[in-house]
Amino acid sequence: MESIPDTSGYMIAGYVIAFLTMGIHVLSLYIRNKNLRRDLEMLESLDTEKK
Amino acid sequence: MQSRPIALTILDILSVISIGVATYFALVFAPTELFMGQVQRVFYFHVGTAWVGMLGFILAAVAGVIYLINKDMKWDRFEVAAVEISTMFFFITIVLGSIWARPAWNTWWTWDPRLTTAAITELIYIAYFMLRAGIEDPEKRARFGAVYTLLGGISVPITFMAIRLFRTIHPVVVGNESAAAEGGFSMTGDMVTAMLVAFAAFTIIFIDLLWHRIRIGGLQEKVEQLKLKISM
């Protein structure tokens, strides 16, 4: 009987890349959100000062 | 300042739980395939990400049509969000497919109809962001983007049907596969369960990320409007 080929290295690589890609995307959403909120706060205070 | 809705926090928690459950079903619950071994387990994330990838491209095309009809910028924000999230998921689909292909087909890549149409679809949506980056006027950018996603959306059914219409080596999960297909396997009940769990999990994650991205779009618009107001 033939044994099951050892392809676990490919599987690990696949899951590492999948989680890494999703992680980078989530991080990018978090950073963009944080920066935009900071900009908005600053612009709102500038707008209030202008008034 | 806009506070985070409770539903979004619940969705965040659900997303974390569902990715954990989907990983457990893919790596532990599903049985090991006898001919390919452990690499077959990437199949569950491959089909899960492909599903949300294609779903998002179709939703973006629908949002594009709605924008062209009512010119409401919220549909432009929805469209951009759907394209961004789906482009990321579809990238994972292609990479996982390539990793699976190496031991199954003895090559990382081949210009098979399914692989080619999938690569073209991904490139179309990468180009979408390049197009938008080149247009400064928000309304013009939204209009061009809407037409582009509408045309780009045609690539989705072509990619989906490629393995059913053409002679291809890519296996078919649902329906009859081509005689040239290589690496196909009969799914056991547990494998089907793991696949359905992956579909459900990625759908939840997709909705969660889409909502976050739409909110970022709203913030971007507010910042742009305030900048304009202050500069005047």
Side-chain angles (χ1 to χ4, degrees), chain B residues 14-95:
Chain B
L14 271 178
S15 294
V16 174
I17 294 169
S18 55
I19 193 76
V21 172
T23 308
Y24 170 80
F25 270 77
L27 300 183
V28 182
F29 179 82
T32 307
E33 209 274 334
L34 291 175
F35 295 100
M36 284 177 273
Q38 301 291 349
V39 73
Q40 184 273 333
R41 292 182 192 278
V42 301
F43 161 82
Y44 307 106
F45 272 38
H46 176 70
V47 291
T49 52
W51 149 244
V52 287
M54 289 187 177
L55 174 73
F57 294 146
I58 294 293
L59 288 177
V62 173
V65 173
I66 300 172
Y67 173 78
L68 289 173
I69 294 167
N70 65 17
K71 306 284 180 205
D72 188 339
M73 286 303 273
K74 78 175 176 200
W75 293 106
D76 180 58
R77 291 200 293 274
F78 183 95
E79 175 200 295
V80 179
V83 172
E84 184 183 300
I85 310 297
S86 288
T87 306
M88 182 271 294
F89 278 126
F90 213 59
F91 169 77
I92 295 174
T93 308
I94 294 172
V95 172

Side-chain angles (χ1 to χ4, degrees), chain A:
Chain A
M1 197 181 135
E2 266 185 61
S3 60
I4 300 172
D6 179 19
T7 53
S8 44
Y10 293 105
M11 180 199 73
I12 293 165
Y15 278 92
V16 166
I17 292 170
F19 277 102
L20 207 63
T21 309
M22 286 188 281
I24 290 168
H25 191 253
V26 169
L27 189 69
S28 123
L29 286 175
Y30 171 76
I31 291 169
R32 278 184 279 173
N33 185 52
K34 202 175 112 184
N35 290 345
L36 281 166
R37 281 185 187 279
R38 193 195 53 208
D39 290 355
L40 194 64
E41 226 169 277
M42 191 186 71
L43 288 165
E44 274 170 349
S45 65
L46 273 174
D47 191 40
T48 325
E49 276 173 33
K50 208 180 161 188
K51 279 174 189 170

Side-chain angles (χ1 to χ4, degrees), chain B residues 180-200:
Chain B
E182 284 177 34
F185 53 93
S186 305
M187 284 211 283
T188 64
D190 286 349
M191 285 177 172
V192 174
T193 306
M195 184 182 77
L196 294 176
V197 168
F199 277 139

